[in-house]
Amino acid sequence: MSLLDHLAAVPDPRRRRGIRHAWCTLLAIAAVAVVAGARSLTAIAEWAADAPQQVLALLGVRRDPLTGDFQLPHEATIRRALAIVDADALDAAICSWITTPLLAAGIAEAPRRALAVDGKSLRGTRSGGGEAVHLLSAVDHATGTDVAQTDVDGKTNEITRFRPLLNDMDLTGCVITADALHTQRDHAEFLVGEKNAHYLLIVKKNQPSQYRQLTGLPWRQVEIHHRSKDRGHGREERRTIKVVSVAAGLLFPYAVQAIQLKRQVRGLGPGTKWRSVTVYAITSLPAHQARPADLAAWIRGHWTIENKLHYVRDVAYGEDHSQTRTGSTPRASHPAQPGHQRSAPGRRDQHRPGPPPTRPRRHPSPRATWHHMIRPAQPTLPEP
């Protein structure tokens, strides 16, 4: 299925009278322009104006019945469309378009699919004392693609939007990684009891009973099950992981393994000291389904959502600098995206790039002509 086929499922809220452009075409222009690097609504319209005719034909842009020329939608038309679109339906369509070829190729299914869940605020959308638009996303560890996205209303938080984010997805056999905010009993019941999935959750002091129980385990008597080290980005890092299988007694639904992960980090400069951080986690995966090396890879892989989605949106596409706030525009102009695969070498920063015009005027301005008329004539010197 093409992008237009997926976007055809997004409901059109416009009245039938006066419609000139197909709804899926307006959304496709915005989506493809953002993938090409457009950072603003003006840049989206400029990308459409510069697009080759074969691209406009594939996007379904209408032609003039008399001249046969493509009739491009105006920037205001695109702006109004993104302001009234159903953002949930748009995200669902874009995510389906992204994940369908990956699932068909089997890339996202082997050996066990892992999804990272985390949220991000669009800081530029904050106006006055209002709340910034906050988006909660699910990203595939293996591909870095955004497979689901929902908004977080200012009156609630990410915890209440966790279920709506994953409710329509087939999570059978998947492992969901999340930070300590989502270490909630309701989330565990939802993932394991309803979705037949598994979880790997970080435990911090927001769950005091669970945190005290994990820190009180006899970790000194447990041998290290896996070691790894990295060197790069101006630092050296060593990681060790210990895993304990607990048949009963963990104060969390479906938790069968407790994890202690120690990180030692130091800079590469001379005289730098090691800095140690200890992290605790729990998982519903039994030992025969998740080796210590797998658990370490999934914990580290959770940073995929930061490296391949949030970083790309902030740095490559300037999402935090966008100040669009009307209706669904902030979310619709930053739909679910294929993460690091979205890089565009010749992207537009805000508007069409280029130096200021240096061409001479074709005709002198009226003011210049007037000054020329009243300028006194220069005396002519006689020839020697």
Side-chain angles (χ1 to χ4, degrees):
M1 296 177 63
S2 65
L3 175 61
L4 291 178
D5 295 331
H6 288 279
L7 292 177
V10 181
D12 186 354
R14 301 175 297 175
R15 297 180 180 180
R16 296 182 60 184
R17 182 178 181 181
I19 292 180
R20 299 185 60 188
H21 303 282
W23 182 246
C24 59
T25 296
L26 295 176
L27 300 181
I29 290 176
V32 176
V34 170
V35 171
R39 284 184 165 187
S40 65
L41 296 173
T42 301
I44 291 175
E46 291 178 349
W47 177 88
D50 296 338
Q53 293 193 359
Q54 59 268 28
V55 174
L56 299 178
L58 292 174
L59 295 177
V61 178
R62 64 187 294 267
R63 290 179 177 268
D64 187 281
L66 298 179
T67 63
D69 297 333
F70 286 103
Q71 300 294 313
L72 294 172
H74 193 269
E75 176 194 347
T77 303
I78 300 175
R79 185 183 300 270
R80 289 192 296 265
L82 296 181
I84 63 176
V85 68
D86 185 344
D88 289 329
L90 177 61
D91 278 337
I94 296 295
C95 289
S96 177
W97 172 58
I98 294 172
T99 57
T100 297
L102 297 176
L103 293 176
I107 298 177
E109 293 182 349
R112 181 186 292 274
R113 193 180 187 191
L115 301 178
V117 176
D118 196 13
K120 177 186 179 299
S121 293
L122 280 65
R123 291 179 291 180
T125 60
R126 183 183 292 109
S127 59
E131 295 287 339
V133 175
H134 193 87
L135 301 177
L136 184 64
S137 304
V139 171
D140 190 284
H141 283 209
T143 61
T145 54
D146 192 351
V147 298
Q149 179 175 270
T150 186
D151 62 337
V152 179
D153 190 87
K155 298 180 181 179
T156 180
N157 54 32
E158 293 183 14
I159 297 176
T160 59
R161 301 300 296 168
F162 185 87
R163 180 186 289 261
L165 174 71
L166 303 175
N167 196 37
D168 296 332
M169 297 180 60
D170 182 10
L171 300 178
T172 303
C174 296
V175 56
I176 307 299
T177 63
D179 56 22
L181 177 64
H182 295 287
T183 306
Q184 306 290 331
R185 289 169 172 79
D186 292 340
H187 293 358
E189 296 282 358
F190 166 69
L191 291 175
V192 182
E194 299 181 26
K195 304 299 290 185
N196 296 321
H198 295 280
Y199 61 78
L200 177 56
L201 303 175
I202 303 298
V203 178
K204 293 184 179 180
K205 293 183 180 180
N206 64 322
Q207 293 285 345
S209 300
Q210 186 66 39
Y211 184 77
R212 285 194 302 267
Q213 186 182 34
L214 291 180
T215 56
L217 292 176
W219 293 108
R220 292 185 178 181
Q221 304 175 17
V222 180
E223 62 179 4
I224 296 176
H225 295 93
H226 179 71
R227 297 175 184 268
S228 62
K229 60 181 180 179
D230 284 323
R231 185 183 178 93
H233 302 283
R235 63 182 182 182
E236 182 180 0
E237 184 175 357
R238 299 175 182 175
R239 295 177 296 274
T240 60
I241 188 171
K242 297 180 180 181
V243 184
V244 175
S245 297
V246 182
L250 286 179
L251 304 177
F252 204 82
Y254 301 103
V256 295
Q257 289 196 94
I259 304 164
Q260 184 194 63
L261 178 67
K262 283 190 176 183
R263 301 190 186 101
Q264 291 181 314
V265 183
R266 72 172 181 180
L268 297 180
T272 56
K273 297 182 179 180
W274 288 99
R275 178 173 55 89
S276 180
V277 179
T278 302
V279 178
Y280 297 94
I282 51 178
T283 181
S284 60
L285 284 163
H288 66 276
Q289 295 185 14
R291 300 172 303 169
D294 297 330
L295 297 174
W298 287 328
I299 293 176
R300 186 166 177 79
H302 180 73
W303 288 97
T304 300
I305 197 169
E306 295 287 347
N307 299 333
K308 296 183 179 179
L309 182 67
H310 296 170
Y311 180 84
V312 172
R313 286 182 166 185
D314 286 341
V315 177
Y317 295 92
E319 185 179 70
D320 282 343
H321 297 288
S322 175
Q323 297 183 359
T324 54
R325 305 182 181 96
T326 305
S328 301
T329 308
R331 182 176 168 189
S333 57
H334 301 91
Q337 304 152 354
H340 68 294
Q341 299 174 0
R342 266 192 52 197
S343 57
R347 62 181 184 274
R348 295 165 173 80
D349 290 336
Q350 278 294 337
H351 308 296
R352 182 182 290 114
T358 58
R359 294 177 298 177
R361 295 177 181 269
R362 293 183 179 180
H363 304 286
S365 64
R367 185 175 179 181
T369 305
W370 180 75
H371 279 285
H372 173 72
M373 293 174 63
I374 66 173
R375 183 179 302 165
Q378 299 291 334
T380 304
L381 298 177
E383 296 181 1

